[in-house]
Amino acid sequence: MKKSHDNERTIEGIKCIVDNCSYNTLDGKCTASTIEVVPRDASNYDETDCATFKTRDR
């Protein structure tokens, strides 16, 4: 993990573009300590989801 410009730890190599995820730094970085991508039986990227997603408090 690396630190982002605002001192949050980010997962190197993970890009997040979900504006309302609480782990998104809004510059495309993920601050979750780990991520889980589901489902296990996905056959292409359209069938996958980030199970780590948590709605950002506004």
PDB file of all heavy atoms in Angstrom, residues 9-47:
ATOM      1  N   ARG A   9      -3.935   5.548   3.168  1.00  0.00           N
ATOM      2  CA  ARG A   9      -3.218   4.439   2.552  1.00  0.00           C
ATOM      3  C   ARG A   9      -4.061   3.918   1.396  1.00  0.00           C
ATOM      4  O   ARG A   9      -5.270   3.776   1.517  1.00  0.00           O
ATOM      5  CB  ARG A   9      -2.949   3.354   3.571  1.00  0.00           C
ATOM      6  CG  ARG A   9      -1.984   3.833   4.650  1.00  0.00           C
ATOM      7  CD  ARG A   9      -1.673   2.816   5.684  1.00  0.00           C
ATOM      8  NE  ARG A   9      -0.574   1.918   5.482  1.00  0.00           N
ATOM      9  CZ  ARG A   9       0.671   2.197   5.157  1.00  0.00           C
ATOM     10  NH1 ARG A   9       1.012   3.426   4.921  1.00  0.00           N
ATOM     11  NH2 ARG A   9       1.585   1.270   5.058  1.00  0.00           N
ATOM     12  N   THR A  10      -3.424   3.654   0.265  1.00  0.00           N
ATOM     13  CA  THR A  10      -4.127   3.179  -0.914  1.00  0.00           C
ATOM     14  C   THR A  10      -3.523   1.871  -1.392  1.00  0.00           C
ATOM     15  O   THR A  10      -2.370   1.562  -1.103  1.00  0.00           O
ATOM     16  CB  THR A  10      -4.075   4.216  -2.056  1.00  0.00           C
ATOM     17  OG1 THR A  10      -2.720   4.466  -2.402  1.00  0.00           O
ATOM     18  CG2 THR A  10      -4.753   5.522  -1.657  1.00  0.00           C
ATOM     19  N   ILE A  11      -4.307   1.089  -2.130  1.00  0.00           N
ATOM     20  CA  ILE A  11      -3.836  -0.171  -2.692  1.00  0.00           C
ATOM     21  C   ILE A  11      -3.211   0.124  -4.054  1.00  0.00           C
ATOM     22  O   ILE A  11      -3.908   0.568  -4.978  1.00  0.00           O
ATOM     23  CB  ILE A  11      -4.982  -1.182  -2.846  1.00  0.00           C
ATOM     24  CG1 ILE A  11      -5.668  -1.429  -1.510  1.00  0.00           C
ATOM     25  CG2 ILE A  11      -4.456  -2.486  -3.427  1.00  0.00           C
ATOM     26  CD1 ILE A  11      -6.901  -2.304  -1.604  1.00  0.00           C
ATOM     27  N   GLU A  12      -1.926  -0.116  -4.170  1.00  0.00           N
ATOM     28  CA  GLU A  12      -1.226   0.145  -5.427  1.00  0.00           C
ATOM     29  C   GLU A  12      -1.790  -0.744  -6.532  1.00  0.00           C
ATOM     30  O   GLU A  12      -2.013  -1.932  -6.337  1.00  0.00           O
ATOM     31  CB  GLU A  12       0.268  -0.118  -5.252  1.00  0.00           C
ATOM     32  CG  GLU A  12       1.085   0.302  -6.438  1.00  0.00           C
ATOM     33  CD  GLU A  12       2.580   0.186  -6.181  1.00  0.00           C
ATOM     34  OE1 GLU A  12       2.979  -0.185  -5.075  1.00  0.00           O
ATOM     35  OE2 GLU A  12       3.328   0.484  -7.121  1.00  0.00           O
ATOM     36  N   GLY A  13      -2.055  -0.142  -7.680  1.00  0.00           N
ATOM     37  CA  GLY A  13      -2.532  -0.886  -8.834  1.00  0.00           C
ATOM     38  C   GLY A  13      -4.045  -1.032  -8.912  1.00  0.00           C
ATOM     39  O   GLY A  13      -4.565  -1.545  -9.887  1.00  0.00           O
ATOM     40  N   ILE A  14      -4.764  -0.587  -7.879  1.00  0.00           N
ATOM     41  CA  ILE A  14      -6.229  -0.663  -7.893  1.00  0.00           C
ATOM     42  C   ILE A  14      -6.790   0.711  -8.221  1.00  0.00           C
ATOM     43  O   ILE A  14      -6.494   1.694  -7.562  1.00  0.00           O
ATOM     44  CB  ILE A  14      -6.790  -1.130  -6.528  1.00  0.00           C
ATOM     45  CG1 ILE A  14      -6.268  -2.518  -6.166  1.00  0.00           C
ATOM     46  CG2 ILE A  14      -8.317  -1.093  -6.530  1.00  0.00           C
ATOM     47  CD1 ILE A  14      -6.682  -3.618  -7.125  1.00  0.00           C
ATOM     48  N   LYS A  15      -7.612   0.762  -9.260  1.00  0.00           N
ATOM     49  CA  LYS A  15      -8.253   2.013  -9.673  1.00  0.00           C
ATOM     50  C   LYS A  15      -9.736   1.914  -9.335  1.00  0.00           C
ATOM     51  O   LYS A  15     -10.377   0.907  -9.607  1.00  0.00           O
ATOM     52  CB  LYS A  15      -8.079   2.217 -11.174  1.00  0.00           C
ATOM     53  CG  LYS A  15      -8.736   3.457 -11.698  1.00  0.00           C
ATOM     54  CD  LYS A  15      -8.523   3.585 -13.199  1.00  0.00           C
ATOM     55  CE  LYS A  15      -9.233   4.812 -13.731  1.00  0.00           C
ATOM     56  NZ  LYS A  15      -9.064   4.926 -15.177  1.00  0.00           N
ATOM     57  N   CYS A  16     -10.288   2.961  -8.744  1.00  0.00           N
ATOM     58  CA  CYS A  16     -11.706   2.997  -8.403  1.00  0.00           C
ATOM     59  C   CYS A  16     -12.323   4.262  -8.987  1.00  0.00           C
ATOM     60  O   CYS A  16     -11.809   5.355  -8.780  1.00  0.00           O
ATOM     61  CB  CYS A  16     -11.896   2.983  -6.888  1.00  0.00           C
ATOM     62  SG  CYS A  16     -13.640   3.027  -6.408  1.00  0.00           S
ATOM     63  N   ILE A  17     -13.406   4.099  -9.713  1.00  0.00           N
ATOM     64  CA  ILE A  17     -14.080   5.257 -10.303  1.00  0.00           C
ATOM     65  C   ILE A  17     -15.496   5.427  -9.764  1.00  0.00           C
ATOM     66  O   ILE A  17     -16.289   6.161 -10.324  1.00  0.00           O
ATOM     67  CB  ILE A  17     -14.096   5.174 -11.841  1.00  0.00           C
ATOM     68  CG1 ILE A  17     -14.808   3.913 -12.313  1.00  0.00           C
ATOM     69  CG2 ILE A  17     -12.677   5.254 -12.396  1.00  0.00           C
ATOM     70  CD1 ILE A  17     -15.073   3.877 -13.806  1.00  0.00           C
ATOM     71  N   VAL A  18     -15.805   4.763  -8.645  1.00  0.00           N
ATOM     72  CA  VAL A  18     -17.131   4.844  -8.046  1.00  0.00           C
ATOM     73  C   VAL A  18     -17.153   6.021  -7.077  1.00  0.00           C
ATOM     74  O   VAL A  18     -16.625   5.955  -5.978  1.00  0.00           O
ATOM     75  CB  VAL A  18     -17.499   3.533  -7.327  1.00  0.00           C
ATOM     76  CG1 VAL A  18     -18.881   3.626  -6.709  1.00  0.00           C
ATOM     77  CG2 VAL A  18     -17.417   2.363  -8.298  1.00  0.00           C
ATOM     78  N   ASP A  19     -17.766   7.125  -7.492  1.00  0.00           N
ATOM     79  CA  ASP A  19     -17.754   8.358  -6.707  1.00  0.00           C
ATOM     80  C   ASP A  19     -18.353   8.216  -5.315  1.00  0.00           C
ATOM     81  O   ASP A  19     -17.928   8.879  -4.384  1.00  0.00           O
ATOM     82  CB  ASP A  19     -18.495   9.475  -7.441  1.00  0.00           C
ATOM     83  CG  ASP A  19     -17.750   9.947  -8.670  1.00  0.00           C
ATOM     84  OD1 ASP A  19     -16.521   9.728  -8.760  1.00  0.00           O
ATOM     85  OD2 ASP A  19     -18.395  10.547  -9.545  1.00  0.00           O
ATOM     86  N   ASN A  20     -19.362   7.354  -5.153  1.00  0.00           N
ATOM     87  CA  ASN A  20     -20.013   7.268  -3.856  1.00  0.00           C
ATOM     88  C   ASN A  20     -19.517   6.101  -2.993  1.00  0.00           C
ATOM     89  O   ASN A  20     -20.164   5.722  -2.021  1.00  0.00           O
ATOM     90  CB  ASN A  20     -21.538   7.219  -4.010  1.00  0.00           C
ATOM     91  CG  ASN A  20     -22.014   5.970  -4.715  1.00  0.00           C
ATOM     92  OD1 ASN A  20     -21.299   5.405  -5.529  1.00  0.00           O
ATOM     93  ND2 ASN A  20     -23.227   5.554  -4.422  1.00  0.00           N
ATOM     94  N   CYS A  21     -18.341   5.544  -3.296  1.00  0.00           N
ATOM     95  CA  CYS A  21     -17.734   4.516  -2.441  1.00  0.00           C
ATOM     96  C   CYS A  21     -16.851   5.205  -1.404  1.00  0.00           C
ATOM     97  O   CYS A  21     -16.020   6.053  -1.740  1.00  0.00           O
ATOM     98  CB  CYS A  21     -16.901   3.529  -3.250  1.00  0.00           C
ATOM     99  SG  CYS A  21     -16.163   2.236  -2.198  1.00  0.00           S
ATOM    100  N   SER A  22     -17.028   4.849  -0.151  1.00  0.00           N
ATOM    101  CA  SER A  22     -16.267   5.500   0.923  1.00  0.00           C
ATOM    102  C   SER A  22     -14.774   5.212   0.850  1.00  0.00           C
ATOM    103  O   SER A  22     -13.981   5.931   1.451  1.00  0.00           O
ATOM    104  CB  SER A  22     -16.812   5.082   2.287  1.00  0.00           C
ATOM    105  OG  SER A  22     -16.619   3.701   2.494  1.00  0.00           O
ATOM    106  N   TYR A  23     -14.361   4.191   0.105  1.00  0.00           N
ATOM    107  CA  TYR A  23     -12.941   3.865  -0.033  1.00  0.00           C
ATOM    108  C   TYR A  23     -12.269   4.593  -1.193  1.00  0.00           C
ATOM    109  O   TYR A  23     -11.063   4.526  -1.352  1.00  0.00           O
ATOM    110  CB  TYR A  23     -12.762   2.356  -0.210  1.00  0.00           C
ATOM    111  CG  TYR A  23     -13.240   1.561   0.972  1.00  0.00           C
ATOM    112  CD1 TYR A  23     -14.345   0.730   0.867  1.00  0.00           C
ATOM    113  CD2 TYR A  23     -12.590   1.649   2.193  1.00  0.00           C
ATOM    114  CE1 TYR A  23     -14.790  -0.011   1.950  1.00  0.00           C
ATOM    115  CE2 TYR A  23     -13.031   0.918   3.287  1.00  0.00           C
ATOM    116  CZ  TYR A  23     -14.125   0.095   3.151  1.00  0.00           C
ATOM    117  OH  TYR A  23     -14.555  -0.629   4.235  1.00  0.00           O
ATOM    118  N   ASN A  24     -13.041   5.291  -2.009  1.00  0.00           N
ATOM    119  CA  ASN A  24     -12.504   5.998  -3.174  1.00  0.00           C
ATOM    120  C   ASN A  24     -11.988   7.372  -2.753  1.00  0.00           C
ATOM    121  O   ASN A  24     -12.701   8.139  -2.111  1.00  0.00           O
ATOM    122  CB  ASN A  24     -13.596   6.156  -4.228  1.00  0.00           C
ATOM    123  CG  ASN A  24     -13.114   6.808  -5.499  1.00  0.00           C
ATOM    124  OD1 ASN A  24     -12.000   7.302  -5.584  1.00  0.00           O
ATOM    125  ND2 ASN A  24     -13.957   6.827  -6.493  1.00  0.00           N
ATOM    126  N   THR A  25     -10.748   7.695  -3.124  1.00  0.00           N
ATOM    127  CA  THR A  25     -10.168   8.994  -2.799  1.00  0.00           C
ATOM    128  C   THR A  25     -10.631  10.075  -3.768  1.00  0.00           C
ATOM    129  O   THR A  25     -10.201  11.198  -3.674  1.00  0.00           O
ATOM    130  CB  THR A  25      -8.628   8.944  -2.845  1.00  0.00           C
ATOM    131  OG1 THR A  25      -8.217   8.622  -4.176  1.00  0.00           O
ATOM    132  CG2 THR A  25      -8.072   7.962  -1.842  1.00  0.00           C
ATOM    133  N   LEU A  26     -11.477   9.751  -4.691  1.00  0.00           N
ATOM    134  CA  LEU A  26     -11.999  10.632  -5.732  1.00  0.00           C
ATOM    135  C   LEU A  26     -10.956  11.028  -6.772  1.00  0.00           C
ATOM    136  O   LEU A  26     -11.253  11.752  -7.703  1.00  0.00           O
ATOM    137  CB  LEU A  26     -12.677  11.884  -5.137  1.00  0.00           C
ATOM    138  CG  LEU A  26     -13.872  11.589  -4.236  1.00  0.00           C
ATOM    139  CD1 LEU A  26     -14.485  12.889  -3.717  1.00  0.00           C
ATOM    140  CD2 LEU A  26     -14.924  10.769  -4.957  1.00  0.00           C
ATOM    141  N   ASP A  27      -9.720  10.553  -6.600  1.00  0.00           N
ATOM    142  CA  ASP A  27      -8.746  10.701  -7.681  1.00  0.00           C
ATOM    143  C   ASP A  27      -8.365   9.316  -8.203  1.00  0.00           C
ATOM    144  O   ASP A  27      -7.303   9.116  -8.755  1.00  0.00           O
ATOM    145  CB  ASP A  27      -7.522  11.520  -7.250  1.00  0.00           C
ATOM    146  CG  ASP A  27      -6.739  10.898  -6.103  1.00  0.00           C
ATOM    147  OD1 ASP A  27      -7.208   9.914  -5.507  1.00  0.00           O
ATOM    148  OD2 ASP A  27      -5.642  11.399  -5.810  1.00  0.00           O
ATOM    149  N   GLY A  28      -9.270   8.339  -7.986  1.00  0.00           N
ATOM    150  CA  GLY A  28      -9.111   7.022  -8.578  1.00  0.00           C
ATOM    151  C   GLY A  28      -8.341   6.015  -7.757  1.00  0.00           C
ATOM    152  O   GLY A  28      -7.944   4.982  -8.278  1.00  0.00           O
ATOM    153  N   LYS A  29      -8.132   6.267  -6.475  1.00  0.00           N
ATOM    154  CA  LYS A  29      -7.390   5.331  -5.633  1.00  0.00           C
ATOM    155  C   LYS A  29      -8.329   4.690  -4.614  1.00  0.00           C
ATOM    156  O   LYS A  29      -9.330   5.262  -4.223  1.00  0.00           O
ATOM    157  CB  LYS A  29      -6.248   6.055  -4.934  1.00  0.00           C
ATOM    158  CG  LYS A  29      -5.215   6.575  -5.915  1.00  0.00           C
ATOM    159  CD  LYS A  29      -4.105   7.307  -5.194  1.00  0.00           C
ATOM    160  CE  LYS A  29      -3.047   7.775  -6.148  1.00  0.00           C
ATOM    161  NZ  LYS A  29      -3.442   8.924  -6.922  1.00  0.00           N
ATOM    162  N   CYS A  30      -7.976   3.492  -4.157  1.00  0.00           N
ATOM    163  CA  CYS A  30      -8.788   2.739  -3.208  1.00  0.00           C
ATOM    164  C   CYS A  30      -8.088   2.694  -1.851  1.00  0.00           C
ATOM    165  O   CYS A  30      -6.914   2.319  -1.778  1.00  0.00           O
ATOM    166  CB  CYS A  30      -9.010   1.321  -3.718  1.00  0.00           C
ATOM    167  SG  CYS A  30      -9.979   0.291  -2.594  1.00  0.00           S
ATOM    168  N   THR A  31      -8.799   3.066  -0.784  1.00  0.00           N
ATOM    169  CA  THR A  31      -8.210   3.082   0.555  1.00  0.00           C
ATOM    170  C   THR A  31      -8.613   1.880   1.409  1.00  0.00           C
ATOM    171  O   THR A  31      -8.247   1.808   2.579  1.00  0.00           O
ATOM    172  CB  THR A  31      -8.601   4.371   1.314  1.00  0.00           C
ATOM    173  OG1 THR A  31     -10.013   4.408   1.463  1.00  0.00           O
ATOM    174  CG2 THR A  31      -8.094   5.607   0.593  1.00  0.00           C
ATOM    175  N   ALA A  32      -9.355   0.934   0.846  1.00  0.00           N
ATOM    176  CA  ALA A  32      -9.711  -0.271   1.596  1.00  0.00           C
ATOM    177  C   ALA A  32      -8.425  -1.055   1.907  1.00  0.00           C
ATOM    178  O   ALA A  32      -7.475  -1.028   1.133  1.00  0.00           O
ATOM    179  CB  ALA A  32     -10.672  -1.140   0.792  1.00  0.00           C
ATOM    180  N   SER A  33      -8.412  -1.745   3.030  1.00  0.00           N
ATOM    181  CA  SER A  33      -7.206  -2.518   3.371  1.00  0.00           C
ATOM    182  C   SER A  33      -7.059  -3.732   2.456  1.00  0.00           C
ATOM    183  O   SER A  33      -5.945  -4.162   2.155  1.00  0.00           O
ATOM    184  CB  SER A  33      -7.234  -2.948   4.831  1.00  0.00           C
ATOM    185  OG  SER A  33      -8.378  -3.728   5.100  1.00  0.00           O
ATOM    186  N   THR A  34      -8.179  -4.284   2.007  1.00  0.00           N
ATOM    187  CA  THR A  34      -8.208  -5.374   1.025  1.00  0.00           C
ATOM    188  C   THR A  34      -9.474  -5.180   0.194  1.00  0.00           C
ATOM    189  O   THR A  34     -10.370  -4.432   0.590  1.00  0.00           O
ATOM    190  CB  THR A  34      -8.270  -6.769   1.688  1.00  0.00           C
ATOM    191  OG1 THR A  34      -9.468  -6.865   2.454  1.00  0.00           O
ATOM    192  CG2 THR A  34      -7.062  -7.024   2.553  1.00  0.00           C
ATOM    193  N   ILE A  35      -9.551  -5.866  -0.934  1.00  0.00           N
ATOM    194  CA  ILE A  35     -10.778  -5.836  -1.725  1.00  0.00           C
ATOM    195  C   ILE A  35     -11.226  -7.256  -2.017  1.00  0.00           C
ATOM    196  O   ILE A  35     -10.418  -8.186  -2.030  1.00  0.00           O
ATOM    197  CB  ILE A  35     -10.632  -5.041  -3.041  1.00  0.00           C
ATOM    198  CG1 ILE A  35      -9.595  -5.681  -3.957  1.00  0.00           C
ATOM    199  CG2 ILE A  35     -10.324  -3.590  -2.783  1.00  0.00           C
ATOM    200  CD1 ILE A  35      -9.634  -5.152  -5.373  1.00  0.00           C
ATOM    201  N   GLU A  36     -12.522  -7.404  -2.238  1.00  0.00           N
ATOM    202  CA  GLU A  36     -13.084  -8.690  -2.630  1.00  0.00           C
ATOM    203  C   GLU A  36     -13.888  -8.473  -3.899  1.00  0.00           C
ATOM    204  O   GLU A  36     -14.802  -7.637  -3.918  1.00  0.00           O
ATOM    205  CB  GLU A  36     -13.990  -9.246  -1.536  1.00  0.00           C
ATOM    206  CG  GLU A  36     -14.604 -10.571  -1.911  1.00  0.00           C
ATOM    207  CD  GLU A  36     -15.543 -11.107  -0.839  1.00  0.00           C
ATOM    208  OE1 GLU A  36     -15.749 -10.435   0.185  1.00  0.00           O
ATOM    209  OE2 GLU A  36     -16.072 -12.199  -1.048  1.00  0.00           O
ATOM    210  N   VAL A  37     -13.551  -9.203  -4.948  1.00  0.00           N
ATOM    211  CA  VAL A  37     -14.266  -9.105  -6.219  1.00  0.00           C
ATOM    212  C   VAL A  37     -15.082 -10.385  -6.373  1.00  0.00           C
ATOM    213  O   VAL A  37     -14.556 -11.487  -6.202  1.00  0.00           O
ATOM    214  CB  VAL A  37     -13.286  -8.916  -7.398  1.00  0.00           C
ATOM    215  CG1 VAL A  37     -14.039  -8.862  -8.718  1.00  0.00           C
ATOM    216  CG2 VAL A  37     -12.461  -7.652  -7.198  1.00  0.00           C
ATOM    217  N   VAL A  38     -16.373 -10.237  -6.668  1.00  0.00           N
ATOM    218  CA  VAL A  38     -17.273 -11.378  -6.788  1.00  0.00           C
ATOM    219  C   VAL A  38     -18.045 -11.292  -8.095  1.00  0.00           C
ATOM    220  O   VAL A  38     -18.067 -10.229  -8.718  1.00  0.00           O
ATOM    221  CB  VAL A  38     -18.273 -11.408  -5.587  1.00  0.00           C
ATOM    222  CG1 VAL A  38     -17.534 -11.656  -4.306  1.00  0.00           C
ATOM    223  CG2 VAL A  38     -19.085 -10.131  -5.490  1.00  0.00           C
ATOM    224  N   PRO A  39     -18.685 -12.343  -8.561  1.00  0.00           N
ATOM    225  CA  PRO A  39     -18.794 -13.678  -8.004  1.00  0.00           C
ATOM    226  C   PRO A  39     -17.659 -14.578  -8.465  1.00  0.00           C
ATOM    227  O   PRO A  39     -16.974 -14.301  -9.451  1.00  0.00           O
ATOM    228  CB  PRO A  39     -20.130 -14.173  -8.540  1.00  0.00           C
ATOM    229  CG  PRO A  39     -20.224 -13.557  -9.908  1.00  0.00           C
ATOM    230  CD  PRO A  39     -19.582 -12.187  -9.738  1.00  0.00           C
ATOM    231  N   ARG A  40     -17.512 -15.670  -7.779  1.00  0.00           N
ATOM    232  CA  ARG A  40     -16.453 -16.639  -8.081  1.00  0.00           C
ATOM    233  C   ARG A  40     -16.575 -17.193  -9.501  1.00  0.00           C
ATOM    234  O   ARG A  40     -15.583 -17.463 -10.157  1.00  0.00           O
ATOM    235  CB  ARG A  40     -16.505 -17.778  -7.070  1.00  0.00           C
ATOM    236  CG  ARG A  40     -15.462 -18.841  -7.255  1.00  0.00           C
ATOM    237  CD  ARG A  40     -15.595 -19.939  -6.222  1.00  0.00           C
ATOM    238  NE  ARG A  40     -15.518 -19.437  -4.874  1.00  0.00           N
ATOM    239  CZ  ARG A  40     -14.394 -19.372  -4.155  1.00  0.00           C
ATOM    240  NH1 ARG A  40     -13.269 -19.798  -4.665  1.00  0.00           N
ATOM    241  NH2 ARG A  40     -14.406 -18.899  -2.937  1.00  0.00           N
ATOM    242  N   ASP A  41     -17.794 -17.363  -9.985  1.00  0.00           N
ATOM    243  CA  ASP A  41     -18.001 -18.003 -11.290  1.00  0.00           C
ATOM    244  C   ASP A  41     -18.157 -17.019 -12.450  1.00  0.00           C
ATOM    245  O   ASP A  41     -18.672 -17.376 -13.501  1.00  0.00           O
ATOM    246  CB  ASP A  41     -19.209 -18.929 -11.220  1.00  0.00           C
ATOM    247  CG  ASP A  41     -20.502 -18.191 -10.893  1.00  0.00           C
ATOM    248  OD1 ASP A  41     -20.443 -17.001 -10.501  1.00  0.00           O
ATOM    249  OD2 ASP A  41     -21.577 -18.797 -11.028  1.00  0.00           O
ATOM    250  N   ALA A  42     -17.700 -15.773 -12.287  1.00  0.00           N
ATOM    251  CA  ALA A  42     -17.785 -14.791 -13.373  1.00  0.00           C
ATOM    252  C   ALA A  42     -17.001 -15.280 -14.591  1.00  0.00           C
ATOM    253  O   ALA A  42     -15.932 -15.867 -14.452  1.00  0.00           O
ATOM    254  CB  ALA A  42     -17.244 -13.448 -12.919  1.00  0.00           C
ATOM    255  N   SER A  43     -17.545 -15.016 -15.767  1.00  0.00           N
ATOM    256  CA  SER A  43     -16.834 -15.426 -16.979  1.00  0.00           C
ATOM    257  C   SER A  43     -16.322 -14.240 -17.781  1.00  0.00           C
ATOM    258  O   SER A  43     -15.588 -14.423 -18.742  1.00  0.00           O
ATOM    259  CB  SER A  43     -17.735 -16.312 -17.848  1.00  0.00           C
ATOM    260  OG  SER A  43     -18.911 -15.622 -18.193  1.00  0.00           O
ATOM    261  N   ASN A  44     -16.707 -13.013 -17.392  1.00  0.00           N
ATOM    262  CA  ASN A  44     -16.156 -11.815 -18.017  1.00  0.00           C
ATOM    263  C   ASN A  44     -16.305 -10.637 -17.057  1.00  0.00           C
ATOM    264  O   ASN A  44     -16.990 -10.731 -16.039  1.00  0.00           O
ATOM    265  CB  ASN A  44     -16.792 -11.540 -19.378  1.00  0.00           C
ATOM    266  CG  ASN A  44     -18.270 -11.250 -19.283  1.00  0.00           C
ATOM    267  OD1 ASN A  44     -18.680 -10.305 -18.615  1.00  0.00           O
ATOM    268  ND2 ASN A  44     -19.085 -12.072 -19.941  1.00  0.00           N
ATOM    269  N   TYR A  45     -15.676  -9.527 -17.377  1.00  0.00           N
ATOM    270  CA  TYR A  45     -15.647  -8.380 -16.457  1.00  0.00           C
ATOM    271  C   TYR A  45     -17.030  -7.794 -16.182  1.00  0.00           C
ATOM    272  O   TYR A  45     -17.272  -7.218 -15.121  1.00  0.00           O
ATOM    273  CB  TYR A  45     -14.683  -7.302 -16.948  1.00  0.00           C
ATOM    274  CG  TYR A  45     -15.162  -6.539 -18.162  1.00  0.00           C
ATOM    275  CD1 TYR A  45     -15.899  -5.377 -18.002  1.00  0.00           C
ATOM    276  CD2 TYR A  45     -14.884  -6.978 -19.446  1.00  0.00           C
ATOM    277  CE1 TYR A  45     -16.353  -4.667 -19.112  1.00  0.00           C
ATOM    278  CE2 TYR A  45     -15.330  -6.285 -20.549  1.00  0.00           C
ATOM    279  CZ  TYR A  45     -16.066  -5.126 -20.382  1.00  0.00           C
ATOM    280  OH  TYR A  45     -16.512  -4.434 -21.464  1.00  0.00           O
ATOM    281  N   ASP A  46     -17.961  -7.927 -17.115  1.00  0.00           N
ATOM    282  CA  ASP A  46     -19.313  -7.405 -16.907  1.00  0.00           C
ATOM    283  C   ASP A  46     -20.045  -8.108 -15.762  1.00  0.00           C
ATOM    284  O   ASP A  46     -21.009  -7.574 -15.225  1.00  0.00           O
ATOM    285  CB  ASP A  46     -20.158  -7.550 -18.168  1.00  0.00           C
ATOM    286  CG  ASP A  46     -19.787  -6.553 -19.252  1.00  0.00           C
ATOM    287  OD1 ASP A  46     -19.273  -5.475 -18.905  1.00  0.00           O
ATOM    288  OD2 ASP A  46     -20.028  -6.863 -20.428  1.00  0.00           O
ATOM    289  N   GLU A  47     -19.599  -9.282 -15.414  1.00  0.00           N
ATOM    290  CA  GLU A  47     -20.252 -10.068 -14.370  1.00  0.00           C
ATOM    291  C   GLU A  47     -19.607  -9.877 -12.999  1.00  0.00           C
ATOM    292  O   GLU A  47     -20.006 -10.517 -12.042  1.00  0.00           O
ATOM    293  CB  GLU A  47     -20.218 -11.544 -14.745  1.00  0.00           C
ATOM    294  CG  GLU A  47     -20.994 -11.861 -16.009  1.00  0.00           C
ATOM    295  CD  GLU A  47     -20.862 -13.308 -16.424  1.00  0.00           C
ATOM    296  OE1 GLU A  47     -20.110 -14.074 -15.789  1.00  0.00           O
ATOM    297  OE2 GLU A  47     -21.532 -13.688 -17.399  1.00  0.00           O
TER     298      GLU A  47
END
